[in-house]
Amino acid sequence: MRKAEGGAGAAAEKRPSGRGSRDDAMIVDHCPLGVVLLDAARRVIRVNHRFAELTGIAAGDIEGAGLEALNRRLASLSAAEAPYTGCPLSRAGCSRASSGDCGCEFVIGETRRRLRLTFGEIPGTAGVLFFEDISRAAALDRLKSEFLVTAAHELRTPMTTIHGVAEMLLTADIDEAEGNQLLRALYRQSRHLTGVLDDLLDLARLESRRGTPLPGRRLNLGETVLRACAGFAAERDARRPAARVESSGAVISGDDERLVKAIRQLLSNAFQYSFGRGEVTVTLADAGGGWYEVAVADQGIGMNEAERELACERFWRADKNGAIPGTGLGLSLVREIAALHGGRLTIDSEPGLGTTVRMRLPAASAPGTGAAP
Amino acid sequence: MNRERLLIVDDHEDLRRLLRLTVRFANYQVVEAEDAAGALDTVKVWRPDVILLDVMMPGELSGLDACRTLKADPGTAGIFVILVTARDDFETIIAAREAGADAYMVKPFKPARLVELIARRMRVSYPILPDRQRRPPATMEEWR
């Protein structure tokens, strides 16, 4: 077992002064945060299992050592780009020592865990340090920032056209033909903006339910597929989807309205990205193992492997120049709807040959009894 | 007299149309490109005086990449590059500066401000108002 660091000075500090009552020990051991208890002399009298798990410092290595030795140990374990700068309790006269939250965050070099330190003390008697793993929160923060940058782009770009066109129509002399073109641009961009906002709100609502099943009821998936196809009409496209229900007895538990929306979103993509070419089919089949599959296939422009991997990312679009109306949120929505039914989405695609999107959903009698095949 | 040249680079057709109409009164020669690679190809055969360059565009090259390429080449470094983008995060603004952009406009912007920026660079008199304008603005502020 390793000794507490710090040489002779630390050894002199190492004077265990008791481990508190059995109740205290139980509370500390069950705390979800890493906990270090200090006595009046700023010696470590107890650390819990979570602390050892977060920092890699075993209780036996640090109990009995002074706070300075603990600070040195944590500093040596922390990463250079996010170092541990020490607990304010060890610094006399530190202005942060009375706040409890010193704003100290650091990263353990080996595990890349980002930890936040907070503390409490009863002056002259005892102190307690809390170590919270904020790695996940930090990662989510980063994702949120990236998402906000992208969302800002998707909202500001149509607003630039809307604002600019409105200003031009109000202030400049525009002939009728140009005026009509500008009005059409205004209509397109305002409709696009409304679509982005609707999809964003819907996506947020669905994501907030993640882990909570939709209030579903038993439904015949074949009927849902046929209803989605029957009410679907692509813009400026005379083609209609060809529905094939190979598994007429497919019963699942789900939200009929959401599933119709998901299937129509897939149909919309299939029609828009096949430019009037070939057939768009919707097939419902028994995928085996208690799963059903709704596959929407087109013979359109298709995607390469890199594009396929990005296809479900928010705001990613296969259309590179904005000629095809869309928000880039459709497949994200479909993926969320599938996930809320305990299912999953897979995409097969070849550039120039077309795309097939498969939504696999568990049968009602055996909900989620295995991985989607 | 040689008409000055303006290259508009944006992947959104409606925005390109708006920008084209915004600058039409100034009698520039205007050419459009819908991505960064197209812009660099255009510059090889048609050298503009000013480029309006969107930052976030589809394709392998971003507007920042195109700006860097232009500024690194002595033959094109003198082109006045205005980055036009919806991104106003600190990292992008720093990256724009490092890429050598001469100006930076965040969407949504007022078209008149863009005209002013181009006009100053091109040293044409401003405001440039169309003869047919119904009611000329009384002040610069009103025009903006």
Side-chain angles (χ1 to χ4, degrees):
Chain A
M1 186 179 287
R2 290 184 60 183
K3 300 288 184 193
E5 291 177 354
E13 289 176 336
K14 191 171 181 177
R15 291 194 303 269
S17 57
R19 293 165 65 90
S21 73
R22 187 172 295 177
D23 287 348
D24 290 346
M26 197 174 73
I27 291 167
V28 169
D29 286 345
H30 286 84
C31 182
L33 306 178
V35 178
V36 175
L37 290 181
L38 304 169
D39 65 11
R42 299 282 192 263
R43 280 191 302 267
V44 177
I45 53 174
R46 186 176 192 88
V47 303
N48 67 355
H49 175 71
R50 182 64 174 152
F51 172 80
E53 187 180 53
L54 291 177
T55 62
I57 302 173
D61 282 355
I62 203 67
E63 284 176 353
L67 182 53
E68 289 296 347
L70 174 67
N71 282 341
R72 284 193 294 275
R73 185 72 185 274
L74 286 169
S76 71
L77 292 171
S78 64
E81 73 277 12
Y84 175 76
T85 54
C87 172
L89 286 180
S90 62
R91 294 195 285 274
C94 176
S95 61
R96 294 182 300 172
S98 58
S99 70
D101 183 357
C102 55
C104 173
E105 289 180 14
F106 62 102
V107 171
I108 298 292
E110 193 174 327
T111 58
R112 309 310 299 170
R113 282 183 195 269
R114 178 171 283 274
L115 305 183
R116 176 184 288 146
L117 168 65
T118 52
F119 60 90
E121 71 167 332
I122 304 166
T125 55
V128 57
L129 312 183
F130 298 103
F131 294 84
E132 181 186 5
D133 185 354
I134 58 166
S135 313
R136 183 170 158 69
L140 286 175
D141 258 5
R142 196 169 54 247
L143 277 178
K144 196 168 74 179
S145 299
E146 287 168 6
F147 169 71
L148 283 175
V149 166
T150 313
H153 177 263
E154 295 308 312
L155 297 173
R156 281 175 169 166
T157 297
M159 271 313 294
T160 305
T161 305
I162 291 167
H163 185 262
V165 165
E167 188 173 286
M168 183 158 284
L169 288 170
L170 284 170
T171 60
D173 193 5
I174 302 290
D175 66 35
E176 192 175 343
E178 280 174 347
N180 284 338
Q181 276 196 337
L182 288 175
L183 282 172
R184 276 195 286 275
L186 198 62
Y187 174 71
R188 268 194 302 272
Q189 295 303 320
S190 58
R191 199 176 63 160
H192 177 74
L193 192 58
T194 307
V196 171
L197 291 172
D198 285 347
D199 284 354
L200 272 175
L201 290 173
D202 211 15
L203 198 53
R205 274 194 292 268
L206 288 172
E207 284 183 340
S208 70
R209 300 189 60 89
R210 192 172 277 178
T212 312
L214 284 166
R217 59 177 185 81
R218 288 172 71 87
L219 57 90
N220 185 307
L221 192 53
E223 291 173 6
T224 303
V225 167
L226 291 174
R227 191 161 44 255
C229 292
F232 183 84
E235 272 187 54
R236 294 190 292 276
D237 197 325
R239 294 175 300 162
R240 291 289 176 268
R244 281 198 286 272
V245 176
E246 295 171 2
S247 182
S248 58
V251 176
I252 67 161
S253 176
D255 180 328
D256 189 57
E257 196 181 324
R258 299 271 192 207
L259 288 170
V260 166
K261 177 172 182 161
I263 295 165
R264 285 187 180 160
Q265 179 62 55
L266 295 179
L267 286 171
S268 173
N269 286 358
F271 277 97
Q272 285 185 325
Y273 288 94
S274 55
F275 305 109
R277 191 175 71 198
E279 191 181 35
V280 173
T281 61
V282 188
T283 309
L284 168 63
D286 189 336
W291 293 84
Y292 294 110
E293 180 182 283
V294 179
V296 177
D298 66 58
Q299 295 161 34
I301 59 173
M303 291 179 278
N304 61 32
E305 193 178 339
E307 290 172 326
R308 208 165 56 236
E309 283 177 12
L310 290 170
C312 286
E313 294 299 318
R314 293 175 187 184
F315 294 119
W316 185 85
R317 302 200 62 213
D319 171 35
K320 303 306 181 200
N321 56 20
I324 299 173
T327 61
L329 292 168
L331 273 180
S332 303
L333 275 167
V334 177
R335 182 176 61 177
E336 286 299 323
I337 291 170
L340 284 169
H341 284 82
R344 61 176 294 201
L345 209 65
T346 56
I347 300 172
D348 295 322
S349 190
E350 285 292 330
L353 295 179
T355 299
T356 301
V357 183
R358 303 173 199 280
M359 181 165 58
R360 293 190 175 187
L361 302 166
S365 53
T369 49
Chain B
M1 175 185 159
N2 286 335
R3 290 164 67 200
E4 294 195 273
R5 295 173 160 195
L6 175 66
L7 175 61
I8 296 172
V9 191
D10 200 296
D11 54 318
H12 289 88
E13 190 185 345
D14 284 336
L15 193 53
R16 289 202 305 271
R17 174 178 291 118
L18 172 67
L19 293 172
R20 195 172 61 233
L21 284 172
T22 300
V23 300
R24 67 177 175 164
F25 311 128
N27 199 30
Y28 302 137
Q29 292 182 65
V30 177
V31 166
E32 298 173 20
E34 62 182 43
D35 57 31
L40 293 177
D41 287 343
T42 302
V43 169
K44 285 176 194 162
V45 294
W46 188 85
R47 192 186 185 286
D49 299 289
V50 173
I51 302 180
L52 299 181
L53 185 58
D54 189 23
V55 171
M56 289 175 78
M57 286 183 290
E60 290 184 5
L61 293 179
S62 72
L64 286 172
D65 295 326
C67 184
R68 244 176 251 121
T69 304
L70 291 166
K71 293 298 180 182
D73 180 348
T76 54
I79 299 172
F80 192 79
V81 177
I82 303 171
L83 284 175
V84 182
T85 177
R87 295 186 63 152
D88 61 353
D89 53 300
F90 184 70
E91 288 77 11
T92 305
I93 292 169
I94 294 294
R97 213 173 258 187
E98 287 174 354
D102 297 284
Y104 187 95
M105 289 202 74
V106 177
K107 298 174 186 174
F109 53 82
K110 288 178 181 291
R113 285 204 186 281
L114 188 63
V115 172
E116 184 182 2
L117 192 60
I118 300 167
R120 278 185 186 161
R121 167 67 185 102
M122 289 185 162
R123 291 177 291 279
V124 295
S125 60
Y126 183 84
I128 304 151
L129 302 175
D131 294 336
R132 296 172 298 166
Q133 187 160 348
R134 293 179 189 126
R135 185 182 63 82
T139 64
M140 286 287 281
E141 278 311 307
E142 191 180 330
W143 172 252
R144 288 184 189 121

